[in-house]
Amino acid sequence: MGNTMLLTLLLVVVAAYGQTPPPPEGFRWVKNESFSDEFDGEVLDTTKWYARSPYWVNGRPPATFRAGSVSVKEGMLQIKNSVLDGDKKYNIAGGAVASVAKDALYGYYEARMKASSISMSSTFWMKNKPDTKECPFEVQELDIVEVVGQQKTGWDFRTNLKSNTHIFYTDCDGEKTVKSAGGTEAKIDPPANEAYHVYGCWWVDADTIKIYLDGEYQFTMNPSTHFRDTPFNKPMYMHMVTETYNWETPPTPEELADDTKNTTYYDWVRSYTLVPVDQ
């Protein structure tokens, strides 16, 4: 077998099964089952996942979230976007699958996903609820991947990997501000809607988040440095979401009715934490 064929085979294996980065000396990776699923059954595992997120219930108009958009079949978690009749504010049904557990913190998180081919997002991200309802308070968000399979504006979320971190701050006057710190972009080839890719994130510590694509390191985000030394250290829940963006033209009813284009597929999601080698 030639070197080119061996390299191709290796890339296929990495894309299909994922690849954790080498652990630091003295540590090993252990699967975090609360945030891992192969989606090999016939129904969503409700001990791990909500079919409709209780953390972000309605979504951003004109799309909203419906549990009926979510299914598990053919070894995949599938979110099928569709026309939603009878609602003036929301006329598109997307989906938001959320983890039951809310304690995702430092570790490695990855999902093998193929985006839909419509102008809605296909995403994999994490967020926390406020520690307190008393003001002031803040919420942190880690966007591992946000892609859009059909580009209608000038922003290319189809072939460019975009990751980000956000802190949403609410003061005692009810004023809300957001601070964002992302990383450099990486090329997605083939495009996100034409092939499955493994999107990974090593949340190392409160200021170090490394982004991976198909097992290869791409860039690092340093949120605490950008957020004036605010540590990025809130335990989070996990989201797999399809939604509309306010900067992108929504899909047409004809596009939403096309079953070759309207679905985002998650082959699996896997999560790992570091433990000492002697444990």
Side-chain angles (χ1 to χ4, degrees), residues 121-139:
S121 73
S122 301
T123 66
F124 174 49
W125 50 283
M126 300 191 292
K127 196 170 184 176
N128 74 292
K129 300 294 287 184
D131 296 331
T132 176
K133 293 184 178 180
E134 297 182 5
C135 65
F137 61 85
E138 67 179 29
V139 172

Side-chain angles (χ1 to χ4, degrees), residues 70-99:
V70 176
S71 63
V72 174
K73 55 187 176 182
E74 300 173 354
M76 309 268 180
L77 168 66
Q78 303 185 21
I79 303 180
K80 182 178 179 179
N81 306 292
S82 61
V83 173
L84 184 62
D85 294 323
D87 192 311
K88 294 181 179 180
K89 184 175 182 179
Y90 300 106
N91 54 41
I92 296 173
V97 174
S99 63

Side-chain angles (χ1 to χ4, degrees), residues 54-257:
Y55 315 118
W56 188 26
V57 177
N58 292 315
R60 183 186 300 107
T64 189
F65 306 132
R66 292 290 184 267
S69 301
V70 176
S71 63
V72 174
K73 55 187 176 182
E74 300 173 354
M76 309 268 180
L77 168 66
Q78 303 185 21
I79 303 180
K80 182 178 179 179
N81 306 292
S82 61
V83 173
L84 184 62
D85 294 323
D87 192 311
K88 294 181 179 180
K89 184 175 182 179
Y90 300 106
N91 54 41
I92 296 173
V97 174
S99 63
V100 173
K102 297 181 288 185
D103 58 352
L105 194 57
Y106 308 137
Y108 191 71
Y109 302 89
E110 61 178 356
R112 185 171 186 256
M113 179 183 75
K114 182 182 178 184
S116 69
S117 293
I118 58 176
S119 53
M120 289 179 65
S121 73
S122 301
T123 66
F124 174 49
W125 50 283
M126 300 191 292
K127 196 170 184 176
N128 74 292
K129 300 294 287 184
D131 296 331
T132 176
K133 293 184 178 180
E134 297 182 5
C135 65
F137 61 85
E138 67 179 29
V139 172
Q140 299 182 354
E141 178 176 320
L142 169 54
D143 297 328
I144 300 172
V145 59
E146 296 180 280
V147 290
V148 178
Q150 181 189 30
Q151 179 186 347
K152 292 184 177 179
T153 70
W155 293 5
D156 181 7
F157 275 61
R158 179 173 174 262
T159 66
N160 288 328
L161 171 62
K162 300 174 187 289
S163 305
N164 219 328
T165 57
H166 307 286
I167 289 183
F168 301 90
Y169 181 82
T170 302
D171 66 19
C172 290
D173 293 324
E175 292 293 324
K176 297 180 180 181
T177 58
V178 57
K179 298 178 181 179
S180 303
T184 58
E185 295 178 3
K187 212 66 180 173
I188 304 173
D189 185 22
N193 65 312
E194 294 183 9
Y196 286 90
H197 292 283
V198 177
Y199 302 96
C201 166
W202 184 3
W203 189 359
V204 180
D205 55 36
D207 189 43
T208 311
I209 298 171
K210 298 181 178 182
I211 298 298
Y212 293 76
L213 177 62
D214 294 328
E216 297 292 328
Y217 167 78
Q218 303 298 319
F219 52 81
T220 297
M221 300 186 291
N222 302 108
S224 296
T225 301
H226 288 80
F227 299 149
R228 298 181 182 178
D229 299 322
T230 301
F232 199 81
N233 62 355
K234 304 292 187 182
M236 298 185 179
Y237 53 84
M238 181 179 287
H239 260 161
M240 288 167 279
V241 174
T242 66
E243 59 181 303
T244 47
Y245 287 128
N246 54 14
W247 50 261
E248 179 60 274
T249 303
T252 65
E254 292 76 20
E255 291 165 344
L256 288 165

